[in-house]
Amino acid sequence: MPLLAHRYLAASVLTAALALAFVGGAEADTGGPSFPSKPVTILTTFSAGSGPDTMMRAVGELLSAKWKQPVLIDNRPGGAGFIAINAAKAAAPDGHTILMHDGDAISALPTLFKSRNFRIFDSFEPAGALYSTPFFIVVAAGSPWKNVGDLLAAAKAKPDAVTYGTWGVGTTAHLQSAMLETAAGVHMLHVPYKEMGQLYTAVSTGETDWALGAMASTQSVYEGGRVKYLAIARSRRLASLPNVPTFAEAGGPANVEASGFVVLLTPKHASRNQRANQPRPQSCS
C-alpha cells in the first residue's frame, strides 16, 4: 500500500472500528443472547479494491477479532446502490447484515429515484459513520491543464465537450461534480463507471478528462505517476500534500468544497440493544 494511503488508513481505522463496535455491546447487559452469534456480512455499494472497500476490510479484521466471528465483505456495486440496498432489505433484521453506503448518495435516492418509493428510515436504522474524506480534482498526468482555472476555461469554451467521470449515477461524486459545474457556471458531460478502479484508469489514460477522488481511492495511480491532483476541493490544504492547492487557490470558485462520507445501516427492526448513539464521522485529513 502506498505510504500516504497507509497513513490515511491508519488514521481512521480505529475510529471506524469504534463506530461499529457498539453492535455487540448492549445485549450482554440486558441478559439477551450474545452478539454476534454468527458471521456478520457487510453489503457494500463500493467495488472491491476501492478506498472505502479497503477501509471496511481493515475495520472488519478488527471487529472479527473482537467479536470472535467472521466479518464478510460482500461487494455489490452498481444500480445506483439499489443492488446492495435490496439485498440488505431482504436480510433478516437481526443485526448480522450491515449496509455500507455513500452517505450523500443514499440521502439523495428518494429524490433522484421517486418511482422506487424508497425511504431510508422505513427500511434501515443508522448504525454509524465509517469515515469522511475530502476530494481531489484528478486528471491524467499528461493533461495540459495546470490548474482548475484551465479546466473551467476549457469547459466554458466548449460546453459539454469536457467529460468528468464518477463511480455511478447518483453517487456523491456525481452530485458534487454537478454542484461544482453549477458553481462555476459551466456544462460538462457526465461519464459514469461501475467501479472506482475503472474510473481512475479511464482518467489516467485520458479516456475521461477528470474526476473527483479521495486519497485512498486514487493514491496508487497518483504515486505511480499516472494522474495528478489539480486541487483539493476544500478551504485549506492537506498537511500530507502541502503542494496541492485548494480549489479556490487553483482558480475555482470560492467557498466550494467537495467531500464524501460513508455510513453503515442495519435492516429495520434490528434489536434496539444493537444500536447506540451515533458517532460523528472521523475526518481523514
Side-chain angles (χ1 to χ4, degrees), residues 159-222:
D160 294 322
V162 172
T163 58
Y164 68 90
T166 71
W167 52 91
V169 173
T171 58
T172 292
H174 183 199
L175 298 174
Q176 298 205 21
S177 296
M179 178 190 71
L180 295 179
E181 274 188 289
T182 300
V186 298
H187 295 281
M188 295 178 274
L189 181 64
H190 176 217
V191 183
Y193 291 83
K194 184 177 180 179
E195 299 185 0
M196 286 190 186
Q198 296 172 342
L199 165 61
Y200 298 117
T201 295
V203 171
S204 72
T205 62
E207 176 184 306
T208 299
D209 291 323
W210 70 278
L212 290 176
M215 181 183 291
S217 298
T218 62
Q219 196 65 29
S220 61
V221 287
Y222 174 76

Coordinates of all heavy atoms in Angstrom, one line a residue, residues 159-222:
P159 N -18.9 23.9 -24.3 CA -19.9 23.3 -23.4 C -20.1 21.8 -23.8 O -20.2 21.5 -24.9 CB -21.1 24.1 -23.6 CG -20.6 25.5 -24.0 CD -19.4 25.2 -24.9
D160 N -20.1 21.0 -22.8 CA -20.4 19.5 -22.9 C -19.3 18.8 -23.6 O -19.5 17.6 -23.9 CB -21.8 19.3 -23.6 CG -22.9 19.7 -22.7 OD1 -22.9 19.6 -21.5 OD2 -23.9 20.3 -23.3
A161 N -18.2 19.4 -23.9 CA -17.1 18.7 -24.5 C -16.1 18.1 -23.5 O -15.5 17.0 -23.7 CB -16.3 19.6 -25.4
V162 N -16.0 18.8 -22.3 CA -15.1 18.3 -21.2 C -16.0 17.2 -20.5 O -17.1 17.4 -20.2 CB -14.7 19.4 -20.3 CG1 -14.0 18.8 -19.0 CG2 -13.8 20.4 -21.0
T163 N -15.3 16.1 -20.2 CA -16.0 15.0 -19.5 C -15.5 14.8 -18.1 O -14.3 15.0 -17.8 CB -15.8 13.7 -20.3 OG1 -14.4 13.4 -20.4 CG2 -16.4 13.7 -21.7
Y164 N -16.4 14.4 -17.2 CA -16.0 14.1 -15.9 C -16.6 12.7 -15.5 O -17.7 12.4 -15.9 CB -16.4 15.1 -14.8 CG -17.9 15.2 -14.6 CD1 -18.6 14.5 -13.6 CD2 -18.7 16.2 -15.3 CE1 -19.9 14.6 -13.4 CE2 -20.0 16.3 -15.1 CZ -20.7 15.5 -14.1 OH -22.0 15.6 -13.9
G165 N -15.8 11.9 -14.8 CA -16.2 10.5 -14.5 C -16.6 10.4 -13.0 O -16.2 11.2 -12.2
T166 N -17.5 9.5 -12.8 CA -17.9 9.1 -11.4 C -18.0 7.6 -11.3 O -18.0 6.9 -12.3 CB -19.2 9.8 -11.0 OG1 -20.3 9.1 -11.7 CG2 -19.2 11.3 -11.3
W167 N -18.2 7.1 -10.1 CA -18.5 5.7 -9.9 C -20.0 5.4 -9.9 O -20.4 4.4 -9.2 CB -17.8 5.2 -8.6 CG -18.1 5.9 -7.4 CD1 -19.1 5.6 -6.5 CD2 -17.3 7.0 -6.8 NE1 -19.0 6.5 -5.4 CE2 -17.9 7.3 -5.6 CE3 -16.2 7.7 -7.2 CZ2 -17.4 8.4 -4.8 CZ3 -15.7 8.7 -6.4 CH2 -16.3 9.1 -5.2
G168 N -20.8 6.2 -10.6 CA -22.2 5.8 -10.8 C -23.1 7.0 -10.7 O -22.8 8.0 -10.1
V169 N -24.2 6.9 -11.4 CA -25.3 7.9 -11.3 C -25.8 8.0 -9.9 O -26.1 7.0 -9.2 CB -26.4 7.5 -12.3 CG1 -27.6 8.5 -12.1 CG2 -25.9 7.5 -13.7
G170 N -25.9 9.2 -9.4 CA -26.5 9.5 -8.1 C -25.5 9.3 -7.0 O -25.9 9.5 -5.8
T171 N -24.2 9.0 -7.3 CA -23.2 8.8 -6.2 C -22.8 10.2 -5.7 O -23.1 11.3 -6.3 CB -22.0 8.1 -6.7 OG1 -21.4 8.8 -7.8 CG2 -22.3 6.7 -7.2
T172 N -22.1 10.2 -4.6 CA -21.6 11.5 -4.0 C -20.8 12.2 -5.1 O -20.8 13.4 -5.2 CB -20.8 11.3 -2.8 OG1 -21.7 10.8 -1.7 CG2 -20.1 12.5 -2.3
A173 N -19.9 11.5 -5.8 CA -19.1 12.1 -6.8 C -19.9 12.8 -7.9 O -19.6 13.9 -8.4 CB -18.1 11.1 -7.4
H174 N -21.0 12.1 -8.3 CA -21.9 12.7 -9.3 C -22.5 13.9 -8.8 O -22.5 15.0 -9.5 CB -22.9 11.6 -9.7 CG -23.8 12.1 -10.8 ND1 -25.0 11.5 -11.1 CD2 -23.7 13.1 -11.7 CE1 -25.6 12.1 -12.1 NE2 -24.9 13.1 -12.5
L175 N -23.1 13.9 -7.6 CA -23.8 15.0 -7.1 C -22.9 16.2 -6.9 O -23.2 17.4 -7.2 CB -24.5 14.6 -5.7 CG -25.5 13.5 -5.8 CD1 -25.9 13.1 -4.4 CD2 -26.7 13.9 -6.6
Q176 N -21.7 15.9 -6.3 CA -20.8 17.1 -6.0 C -20.1 17.6 -7.3 O -19.7 18.8 -7.4 CB -19.8 16.6 -4.9 CG -20.6 16.3 -3.7 CD -19.8 16.5 -2.4 OE1 -18.8 17.2 -2.4 NE2 -20.2 15.8 -1.4
S177 N -19.9 16.7 -8.3 CA -19.3 17.2 -9.5 C -20.3 18.2 -10.2 O -20.0 19.2 -10.8 CB -19.0 16.1 -10.5 OG -18.0 15.3 -10.0
A178 N -21.6 17.8 -10.2 CA -22.7 18.6 -10.7 C -22.7 19.9 -9.9 O -23.0 21.0 -10.5 CB -24.0 17.9 -10.7
M179 N -22.5 19.9 -8.6 CA -22.5 21.1 -7.8 C -21.4 22.0 -8.3 O -21.6 23.3 -8.4 CB -22.3 20.7 -6.3 CG -22.2 21.9 -5.4 SD -21.7 21.4 -3.7 CE -20.0 21.0 -4.0
L180 N -20.2 21.4 -8.5 CA -19.1 22.2 -9.0 C -19.4 22.9 -10.3 O -19.0 24.0 -10.6 CB -17.8 21.4 -9.1 CG -17.3 20.8 -7.8 CD1 -16.0 20.0 -8.0 CD2 -17.0 21.9 -6.8
E181 N -20.0 22.1 -11.2 CA -20.5 22.7 -12.5 C -21.3 23.9 -12.3 O -21.1 25.0 -12.9 CB -21.3 21.6 -13.3 CG -20.6 20.6 -14.1 CD -21.6 19.9 -14.9 OE1 -22.3 19.0 -14.4 OE2 -21.6 20.1 -16.2
T182 N -22.3 23.8 -11.4 CA -23.2 24.9 -11.2 C -22.5 26.1 -10.6 O -22.7 27.2 -11.1 CB -24.4 24.5 -10.2 OG1 -25.1 23.4 -10.8 CG2 -25.3 25.6 -10.0
A183 N -21.6 25.9 -9.7 CA -20.9 27.0 -9.0 C -20.0 27.7 -10.0 O -19.8 28.9 -9.9 CB -20.1 26.4 -7.9
A184 N -19.5 26.9 -11.0 CA -18.6 27.5 -12.0 C -19.3 28.1 -13.2 O -18.7 28.8 -14.0 CB -17.5 26.5 -12.4
G185 N -20.6 27.7 -13.3 CA -21.3 28.2 -14.5 C -20.9 27.5 -15.8 O -20.9 28.2 -16.8
V186 N -20.6 26.2 -15.7 CA -20.2 25.5 -16.9 C -21.0 24.3 -17.1 O -21.7 23.8 -16.2 CB -18.7 25.1 -16.9 CG1 -17.8 26.3 -16.8 CG2 -18.4 24.2 -15.7
H187 N -21.0 23.7 -18.3 CA -21.7 22.4 -18.6 C -20.7 21.4 -19.1 O -20.0 21.7 -20.1 CB -22.8 22.7 -19.7 CG -23.9 23.6 -19.2 ND1 -24.9 23.2 -18.4 CD2 -24.1 24.9 -19.4 CE1 -25.7 24.2 -18.1 NE2 -25.3 25.3 -18.8
M188 N -20.6 20.3 -18.4 CA -19.7 19.2 -18.8 C -20.5 17.9 -19.0 O -21.7 17.8 -18.5 CB -18.6 19.1 -17.8 CG -17.7 20.3 -17.7 SD -16.4 20.2 -16.5 CE -17.2 20.8 -15.0
L189 N -19.9 16.9 -19.6 CA -20.6 15.6 -19.8 C -20.2 14.6 -18.8 O -19.0 14.3 -18.5 CB -20.1 15.1 -21.2 CG -20.8 13.8 -21.6 CD1 -22.3 13.9 -21.8 CD2 -20.1 13.3 -23.0
H190 N -21.2 14.0 -18.1 CA -21.0 13.0 -17.1 C -20.8 11.6 -17.7 O -21.6 11.2 -18.6 CB -22.2 13.0 -16.1 CG -22.2 11.9 -15.1 ND1 -23.3 11.2 -14.7 CD2 -21.1 11.4 -14.4 CE1 -22.9 10.4 -13.7 NE2 -21.6 10.5 -13.6
V191 N -19.8 10.9 -17.3 CA -19.5 9.6 -17.7 C -19.4 8.7 -16.5 O -18.4 8.7 -15.7 CB -18.1 9.5 -18.5 CG1 -17.9 8.1 -19.0 CG2 -18.1 10.5 -19.6
P192 N -20.5 7.9 -16.2 CA -20.5 7.0 -15.1 C -19.8 5.7 -15.3 O -19.9 5.1 -16.4 CB -22.0 6.8 -14.8 CG -22.6 6.9 -16.1 CD -21.8 7.9 -16.9
Y193 N -19.1 5.2 -14.3 CA -18.5 3.9 -14.3 C -19.1 3.0 -13.2 O -19.5 3.6 -12.2 CB -17.0 4.0 -14.2 CG -16.3 4.6 -15.4 CD1 -16.2 6.0 -15.5 CD2 -15.7 3.9 -16.4 CE1 -15.6 6.6 -16.5 CE2 -15.1 4.5 -17.5 CZ -15.1 5.9 -17.5 OH -14.5 6.5 -18.6
K194 N -19.0 1.7 -13.3 CA -19.5 0.8 -12.3 C -18.5 0.7 -11.1 O -19.0 0.6 -10.0 CB -19.8 -0.5 -12.9 CG -20.4 -1.5 -11.8 CD -20.8 -2.8 -12.5 CE -21.4 -3.8 -11.4 NZ -21.8 -5.1 -12.0
E195 N -17.2 0.8 -11.4 CA -16.2 0.5 -10.4 C -15.2 1.7 -10.3 O -14.9 2.3 -11.4 CB -15.5 -0.8 -10.6 CG -16.4 -2.0 -10.5 CD -15.7 -3.3 -10.6 OE1 -14.4 -3.3 -10.7 OE2 -16.3 -4.4 -10.6
M196 N -14.7 2.0 -9.1 CA -13.7 3.0 -9.0 C -12.5 2.8 -9.8 O -11.8 3.7 -10.3 CB -13.4 3.3 -7.5 CG -14.5 4.0 -6.8 SD -14.0 4.4 -5.1 CE -15.5 5.0 -4.4
G197 N -12.0 1.5 -9.8 CA -10.8 1.1 -10.5 C -10.9 1.5 -12.0 O -10.0 2.0 -12.6
Q198 N -12.1 1.2 -12.6 CA -12.3 1.5 -14.0 C -12.3 3.1 -14.2 O -11.7 3.6 -15.2 CB -13.7 1.0 -14.4 CG -13.8 -0.5 -14.4 CD -15.2 -1.0 -14.7 OE1 -16.2 -0.2 -14.5 NE2 -15.4 -2.2 -15.0
L199 N -12.9 3.8 -13.2 CA -12.9 5.2 -13.3 C -11.6 5.9 -13.4 O -11.2 6.6 -14.3 CB -13.7 5.8 -12.2 CG -13.6 7.3 -11.9 CD1 -14.1 8.1 -13.1 CD2 -14.4 7.7 -10.6
Y200 N -10.7 5.5 -12.4 CA -9.4 6.2 -12.3 C -8.4 5.7 -13.4 O -7.5 6.4 -13.8 CB -8.9 6.1 -10.9 CG -9.8 6.8 -9.9 CD1 -10.5 6.2 -8.9 CD2 -10.1 8.2 -10.1 CE1 -11.3 6.8 -8.1 CE2 -11.0 8.9 -9.3 CZ -11.6 8.2 -8.3 OH -12.5 8.8 -7.5
T201 N -8.6 4.5 -13.9 CA -7.9 4.0 -15.0 C -8.2 4.9 -16.3 O -7.4 5.3 -17.0 CB -8.1 2.6 -15.3 OG1 -7.6 1.8 -14.2 CG2 -7.4 2.1 -16.6
A202 N -9.5 5.1 -16.4 CA -10.0 5.9 -17.5 C -9.5 7.4 -17.5 O -9.1 8.0 -18.5 CB -11.6 5.9 -17.6
V203 N -9.4 7.9 -16.3 CA -8.9 9.3 -16.1 C -7.4 9.3 -16.4 O -6.9 10.1 -17.1 CB -9.1 9.8 -14.7 CG1 -8.3 11.1 -14.5 CG2 -10.6 10.0 -14.4
S204 N -6.7 8.2 -16.0 CA -5.2 8.2 -16.2 C -4.8 8.1 -17.7 O -3.8 8.5 -18.1 CB -4.6 7.0 -15.4 OG -4.9 5.8 -16.0
T205 N -5.7 7.4 -18.5 CA -5.4 7.3 -19.9 C -6.0 8.4 -20.7 O -5.7 8.5 -22.0 CB -6.0 6.0 -20.4 OG1 -7.5 6.0 -20.3 CG2 -5.5 4.8 -19.7
G206 N -6.8 9.3 -20.1 CA -7.3 10.4 -20.9 C -8.7 10.1 -21.5 O -9.3 10.9 -22.2
E207 N -9.2 8.9 -21.2 CA -10.5 8.5 -21.8 C -11.6 9.4 -21.2 O -12.5 9.8 -21.9 CB -10.8 7.0 -21.4 CG -12.2 6.5 -21.8 CD -12.4 5.1 -21.3 OE1 -11.6 4.2 -21.6 OE2 -13.4 4.9 -20.6
T208 N -11.4 9.7 -19.9 CA -12.3 10.7 -19.3 C -11.4 11.8 -18.7 O -10.3 11.6 -18.2 CB -13.0 10.1 -18.1 OG1 -13.9 9.0 -18.6 CG2 -13.9 11.1 -17.4
D209 N -11.8 13.1 -18.9 CA -11.0 14.2 -18.6 C -10.6 14.4 -17.2 O -9.5 14.7 -16.9 CB -11.6 15.5 -19.1 CG -11.7 15.5 -20.7 OD1 -10.7 15.1 -21.3 OD2 -12.7 16.0 -21.2
W210 N -11.6 14.2 -16.2 CA -11.3 14.5 -14.8 C -12.3 13.8 -14.0 O -13.3 13.3 -14.4 CB -11.2 16.0 -14.5 CG -12.5 16.7 -14.5 CD1 -13.2 17.2 -15.6 CD2 -13.4 16.9 -13.4 NE1 -14.4 17.7 -15.2 CE2 -14.5 17.6 -13.9 CE3 -13.3 16.7 -12.0 CZ2 -15.6 18.0 -13.1 CZ3 -14.3 17.1 -11.2 CH2 -15.5 17.8 -11.7
A211 N -12.0 13.7 -12.7 CA -12.9 13.1 -11.7 C -12.6 13.6 -10.3 O -11.4 14.0 -10.0 CB -12.8 11.6 -11.8
L212 N -13.5 13.6 -9.5 CA -13.3 13.8 -8.0 C -12.8 12.5 -7.5 O -13.2 11.4 -7.9 CB -14.6 14.2 -7.3 CG -15.1 15.6 -7.6 CD1 -16.5 15.7 -6.8 CD2 -14.1 16.6 -7.1
G213 N -11.9 12.5 -6.5 CA -11.4 11.3 -6.0 C -10.8 11.5 -4.6 O -10.1 12.5 -4.3
A214 N -11.0 10.5 -3.7 CA -10.4 10.6 -2.4 C -9.0 10.0 -2.4 O -8.6 9.3 -3.4 CB -11.3 9.8 -1.4
M215 N -8.2 10.3 -1.4 CA -6.8 9.8 -1.4 C -6.8 8.3 -1.5 O -6.0 7.8 -2.2 CB -6.1 10.4 -0.1 CG -4.7 9.9 -0.1 SD -3.9 10.5 1.5 CE -3.8 12.2 1.2
A216 N -7.6 7.6 -0.6 CA -7.4 6.2 -0.6 C -7.8 5.5 -1.9 O -7.2 4.5 -2.2 CB -8.4 5.7 0.5
S217 N -8.6 6.1 -2.7 CA -9.0 5.5 -4.0 C -8.1 5.9 -5.1 O -8.1 5.2 -6.2 CB -10.5 5.9 -4.3 OG -11.4 5.4 -3.3
T218 N -7.4 7.0 -5.0 CA -6.6 7.4 -6.1 C -5.1 7.4 -5.9 O -4.3 7.7 -6.8 CB -6.9 8.9 -6.5 OG1 -6.6 9.8 -5.3 CG2 -8.4 9.0 -6.8
Q219 N -4.7 7.1 -4.6 CA -3.2 7.2 -4.3 C -2.3 6.3 -5.1 O -1.2 6.7 -5.5 CB -3.0 6.9 -2.8 CG -1.7 7.4 -2.3 CD -1.6 8.9 -2.3 OE1 -2.6 9.6 -2.2 NE2 -0.4 9.4 -2.5
S220 N -2.8 5.1 -5.5 CA -1.9 4.2 -6.2 C -1.6 4.8 -7.6 O -0.5 4.8 -8.1 CB -2.5 2.8 -6.4 OG -3.8 2.9 -7.1
V221 N -2.6 5.3 -8.3 CA -2.3 5.9 -9.6 C -1.6 7.2 -9.5 O -0.9 7.6 -10.4 CB -3.7 6.1 -10.5 CG1 -4.2 4.7 -10.9 CG2 -4.7 6.8 -9.7
Y222 N -1.8 7.9 -8.4 CA -1.1 9.2 -8.2 C 0.4 9.0 -7.9 O 1.2 9.6 -8.6 CB -1.8 10.0 -7.0 CG -1.0 11.2 -6.6 CD1 -1.1 12.4 -7.4 CD2 -0.2 11.2 -5.5 CE1 -0.5 13.5 -7.0 CE2 0.5 12.4 -5.1 CZ 0.3 13.5 -5.9 OH 1.0 14.7 -5.5

